Amino acid sequence: MTTVLVVDDDPQVLRVLRINLTARGYVVRTATDGASALREAEGVDLVLLDLGLPDVDGVEVITRLRRSSTVPVVVLSARPGSADKVRALDAGADDYVTKPFGMDELLARLRAAVRRAGRRPSGEPPVRTASFTVDLTAKKIVRDGREVRLTPIEWGLLETLVRAGGEVVDPESLMARVWGPAYTSATHYLRVYLAQLRRKLEPEPSRPRHLLTGPGRGYRFQV
């Protein structure tokens, strides 16, 4: 079974989520502040995180979590502004859901996050560029002799582009492959995640050599 850590300081929200997630077969842990969230995150399959916590801002929780974990993080927040979404995604969140939320949509996003994290490609030789190496089998990136940690969505995008073999992948296809077929219209997320990948992998992120944009067409990977 999938274990999800729900982090929210609102008892009513925790109760609703615990009931709905448990009814659908999830094992639910809860936390009401950032400190306990970081302690409870060990060994879970998914984190559902509110940003407005009483002790540590949720974005800081994501930042600290990403220092040692690639567990999928879905933000559930009452902050609707795009700046908050960008901060959370830049810190390493995999998805962002705004309160009030529809339970069916939230559950679909949780399932998609778990699917992305659980993909295990078959054995293949590493793909080597002049800047980094992509090991599709081990889901591992090495740059300058050190492993680069990617979030599940970042990995999903990179894997899709690498497997395209240099061909341009249109934004809708990328969204369907990584987020699922229900999310092909939210292509503005791609710019955020491609920028994150470039910062992590490209020697000069503003002048990418490997993660390229085809104007008006999509994105491609170049060895």
Side-chain angles (χ1 to χ4, degrees):
M1 289 190 292
T2 300
T3 300
V4 57
L5 171 63
V6 181
V7 186
D8 201 302
D9 64 341
D10 186 329
Q12 184 175 352
V13 172
L14 282 181
R15 179 177 178 275
V16 168
L17 290 172
R18 184 190 295 111
I19 291 171
N20 279 275
L21 292 171
T22 301
R24 288 161 175 84
Y26 290 88
V27 176
V28 180
R29 297 184 191 174
T30 61
T32 57
D33 56 49
S36 54
L38 292 168
R39 291 194 301 269
E40 291 291 331
E42 180 69 29
V44 303
D45 302 301
L46 178 70
V47 176
L48 183 57
L49 174 70
D50 180 38
L51 295 184
L53 301 175
D55 57 343
V56 181
D57 184 77
V59 173
E60 178 62 21
V61 173
I62 298 169
T63 299
R64 295 184 191 180
L65 191 60
R66 283 289 170 256
R67 292 172 185 167
S68 59
S69 175
T70 59
V71 63
V73 177
V74 176
V75 171
L76 182 61
S77 177
R79 303 176 186 176
S82 61
D84 289 306
K85 294 180 181 180
V86 170
R87 287 179 62 233
L89 295 170
D90 276 345
D94 297 281
D95 205 347
Y96 194 108
V97 180
T98 303
K99 296 177 182 177
F101 57 91
M103 187 59 67
D104 287 342
E105 178 185 353
L106 176 62
L107 291 167
R109 288 177 182 259
L110 297 184
R111 290 193 297 269
V114 172
R115 284 197 304 272
R116 288 191 297 268
R119 288 176 185 151
R120 294 292 184 272
S122 57
E124 299 166 90
V127 177
R128 303 182 188 279
T129 76
S131 309
F132 54 88
T133 299
V134 183
D135 188 332
L136 292 171
T137 301
K139 296 183 69 171
K140 182 178 180 181
I141 311 292
V142 175
R143 178 184 176 190
D144 299 328
R146 301 179 64 182
E147 184 175 352
V148 179
R149 293 186 179 276
L150 301 183
T151 70
I153 282 185
E154 289 170 350
W155 174 262
L157 288 172
L158 180 63
E159 178 187 0
T160 300
L161 293 173
V162 170
R163 291 183 182 281
E167 297 294 322
V168 173
V169 183
D170 64 85
E172 292 74 17
S173 296
L174 268 175
M175 293 295 297
R177 175 70 174 84
V178 177
W179 275 270
Y183 305 103
T184 56
S185 62
T187 54
H188 56 284
Y189 282 138
L190 289 177
R191 292 190 294 273
V192 174
Y193 282 104
L194 262 296
Q196 290 176 185
L197 275 174
R198 286 167 177 158
R199 284 196 295 271
K200 290 183 178 183
L201 301 179
E202 296 278 5
E204 296 181 73
S206 62
R207 300 174 62 187
R209 300 168 56 187
H210 309 292
L211 299 166
L212 306 180
T213 301
R217 298 186 300 153
Y219 302 93
R220 69 183 180 93
F221 176 79
Q222 179 170 285
V223 174

